[in-house]
Amino acid sequence: MRIKKGDRVKVITGAYKGTIGEVTSVYPKEDKVIVEGVNMVKKHQKPTQANPDGGIIEKEAKIHASNVMLWDEKSKKASRIKMEVKEDGTKVRVYKTSGKEVKVK
C-alpha cells in the first residue's frame, strides 16, 4: 500500500468525490484508510462513566484505498507515485505529475 498516515489525499469516487483531507489511519490488511472529514457516519453510544449522557456522535469510517489518490501540492492535482532508490540507498516516493519527492514515513 503506497498511502501512509499523514498523507494528503483526494477522494476520486463516491459521495465525497473531490474532497481533500489527511489520512488519519491506515489498515493495510483490509486495504482501507480513514480520511479526515470523509465518509462520516453516525454512531449511537450508550451512556458510560466517561460520557454519562451517551447520544449520537459523528465519526469517520473506513474508505477503500483505491478510492483515493495522493494530492500533489506543487501541481495542485491528484497524482500517482513511484518508488525510487537514491544513490545513498534511501527510498523516496516521487509524484508522477510534478516529480516532487515525498519522504517515506
Side-chain angles (χ1 to χ4, degrees), residues 12-80:
I12 58 172
T13 186
Y16 289 88
K17 182 177 181 177
T19 307
I20 299 168
E22 188 173 322
V23 175
T24 56
S25 54
V26 178
Y27 301 91
K29 288 184 181 177
E30 300 173 39
D31 207 26
K32 294 190 178 200
V33 294
I34 293 181
V35 181
E36 168 184 22
V38 173
N39 201 17
M40 300 299 287
V41 296
K42 292 182 188 267
K43 179 176 168 71
H44 295 259
Q45 283 198 323
K46 282 180 150 181
T48 61
Q49 282 187 329
N51 184 9
D53 293 334
I56 302 169
I57 61 164
E58 274 198 72
K59 63 181 232 171
E60 293 100 358
K62 297 175 189 175
I63 185 171
H64 200 270
S66 66
N67 295 337
V68 297
M69 284 181 79
L70 285 168
W71 179 251
D72 186 359
E73 288 290 333
K74 187 174 179 184
S75 67
K76 301 292 184 204
K77 292 181 183 175
S79 175
R80 293 186 175 141

Side-chain angles (χ1 to χ4, degrees), residues 92-104:
V92 292
R93 298 185 297 165
V94 179
Y95 288 114
K96 288 192 175 184
T97 54
S98 66
K100 180 183 165 193
E101 291 183 358
V102 184
K103 61 183 174 184
V104 177

